[in-house]
Amino acid sequence: MQLLDAAAAPASREEIILFNSLGILGILLMAITLAPALFSPSHARRSKSWVGQIIAWIIYSGAFLMLCGRQHGPDPPFGICMFQAALIYAVPVLTAAASICFMFDFHFRLTSALFNVRLSMAKQVLPLVIPSVLFVYVFVEVSLLVQDPTVVQRQESLLYCHITTSTSSTITVVLVMVMGAILFPLQVWTTTVVLRNWATFKNNTMTDMDTLSLFIRFKIFTVTLAAGLILFIVHKYTPVAFNWNLALPAPPLLVWLAFGTQMDLINTWLFWLRLRRRPVNDPAVRACVEPRSNNV
């Protein structure tokens, strides 16, 4: 089985523009989602595992843009093609691991708030370390498995580079399936805890409704990705007149819909509206609109 390598006719110029535009849009939306949590944590507080997940999707989008400008014409340099191919087989593992670690961290924090138990250092650190370790492992393993440079080439659609042998795909598929097999039961477990203690969560200041909203959004996002994976598998065994490789940069758009549209993030970006609504003599407004004196 060849993950991400579904046979496809060469992409037209319009399809290449669409593919690259989706990748750029994914990076921009992920950056917009991430910025408030990094630079305005008092208004949009997020866990480190949440931040790690968003960064993982930025890397995912960037991986598919490395061939931008070289998708038509002569073959790209081997170094660029090899680097992108290794990235493309590693980023599904990175995003899957980041998602499952976010879910574990979320579960630990909910149960810690519910039962008033302090999180151990391991439970705080491991969700941040595991995705990076798996990502580096797959990247290095895929790179070392390439003994013949001719197996690294542009994919049939010309959109990105891949490795024609099946070993790299098998590594990615197995790891993603294992993590998926862990993620879905974990979601069921966490959902059970939330439903059984719904009244407590609603009245607990440490688990406000924004936190529960984030959990619901994550579940919707996971179901959407699962549906997309099913459609991709169906595509491999059913002749469909559509280049499914064009959909590869789309998952970050779903991530943005799930995580980037929460009101605290949106309100952080609308800070200029708050300035306009304040009285003119408000110190914060005056600091923004009055020029500083040039004291020599």
Side-chain angles (χ1 to χ4, degrees):
M1 178 168 58
Q2 289 281 331
L3 181 70
L4 306 176
D5 293 345
S12 65
R13 187 171 299 274
E14 291 75 16
E15 289 176 328
I16 290 176
I17 292 174
L18 174 62
F19 183 86
N20 293 337
S21 298
L22 288 175
I24 294 171
L25 181 61
I27 291 178
L28 290 176
L29 291 177
M30 290 297 93
I32 289 172
T33 302
L34 181 62
L38 291 181
F39 302 112
S40 186
S42 60
H43 293 94
R45 186 177 180 181
R46 293 295 186 273
S47 66
K48 291 182 176 62
S49 61
W50 183 94
V51 171
Q53 181 181 216
I54 301 301
I55 292 175
W57 286 107
I58 292 176
I59 297 172
Y60 177 96
S61 293
F64 287 99
L65 290 174
M66 291 194 62
L67 220 59
C68 191
R70 299 177 181 270
Q71 290 150 317
H72 270 165
D75 291 337
F78 173 78
I80 295 177
C81 206
M82 179 69 244
F83 188 76
Q84 186 191 38
L87 268 182
I88 283 179
Y89 288 108
V91 288
V93 176
L94 173 64
T95 53
S99 295
I100 194 171
C101 286
F102 168 74
M103 194 66 237
F104 266 113
D105 183 55
F106 191 92
H107 179 87
F108 292 148
R109 292 179 185 277
L110 278 182
T111 54
S112 174
L114 178 63
F115 301 111
N116 197 25
V117 178
R118 186 175 181 179
L119 282 175
S120 65
M121 184 59 66
K123 290 181 178 179
Q124 296 181 50
V125 173
L126 286 178
L128 306 177
V129 174
I130 291 175
S132 301
V133 171
L134 289 174
F135 173 70
V136 172
Y137 163 74
V138 175
F139 183 89
V140 172
E141 184 71 16
V142 168
S143 302
L144 293 177
L145 285 173
V146 175
Q147 303 295 325
D148 180 6
T150 61
V151 303
V152 182
Q153 54 189 247
R154 275 188 308 206
Q155 201 261 356
E156 288 82 355
S157 65
L158 306 180
L159 295 172
Y160 56 88
C161 288
H162 74 146
I163 299 171
T164 57
T165 57
S166 61
T167 307
S168 301
S169 293
T170 302
I171 293 172
T172 301
V173 169
V174 170
L175 287 175
V176 170
M177 289 182 65
V178 168
M179 285 183 280
I182 297 172
L183 178 60
F184 288 104
L186 176 61
Q187 287 215 22
V188 173
W189 182 21
T190 306
T191 303
T192 303
V193 172
V194 170
L195 292 178
R196 286 181 176 177
N197 301 276
W198 181 255
T200 304
F201 281 129
K202 287 178 65 176
N203 298 322
N204 193 326
T205 57
M206 295 182 64
T207 55
D208 56 24
M209 295 309 294
D210 286 338
T211 303
L212 296 178
S213 169
L214 186 63
F215 172 66
I216 295 171
R217 287 167 178 265
F218 184 79
K219 288 183 67 65
I220 295 173
F221 164 68
T222 306
V223 171
T224 304
L225 279 188
L229 180 61
I230 292 172
L231 289 176
F232 181 79
I233 294 173
V234 170
H235 155 68
K236 293 182 68 65
Y237 299 100
T238 306
V240 180
F242 175 73
N243 187 354
W244 277 76
N245 293 293
L246 295 174
L248 290 174
L253 309 187
L254 300 177
V255 177
W256 175 77
L257 286 174
F259 300 116
T261 56
Q262 285 192 286
M263 286 309 302
D264 58 342
L265 298 178
I266 295 174
N267 288 333
T268 303
W269 281 107
L270 297 179
F271 63 91
W272 56 276
L273 284 178
R274 294 196 295 272
L275 290 178
R276 290 180 59 185
R277 290 170 183 167
R278 290 183 179 180
V280 176
N281 59 356
D282 188 301
V285 176
R286 294 177 61 185
C288 292
V289 299
E290 290 185 358
R292 296 181 179 179
S293 60
N294 296 322
N295 296 324
V296 180

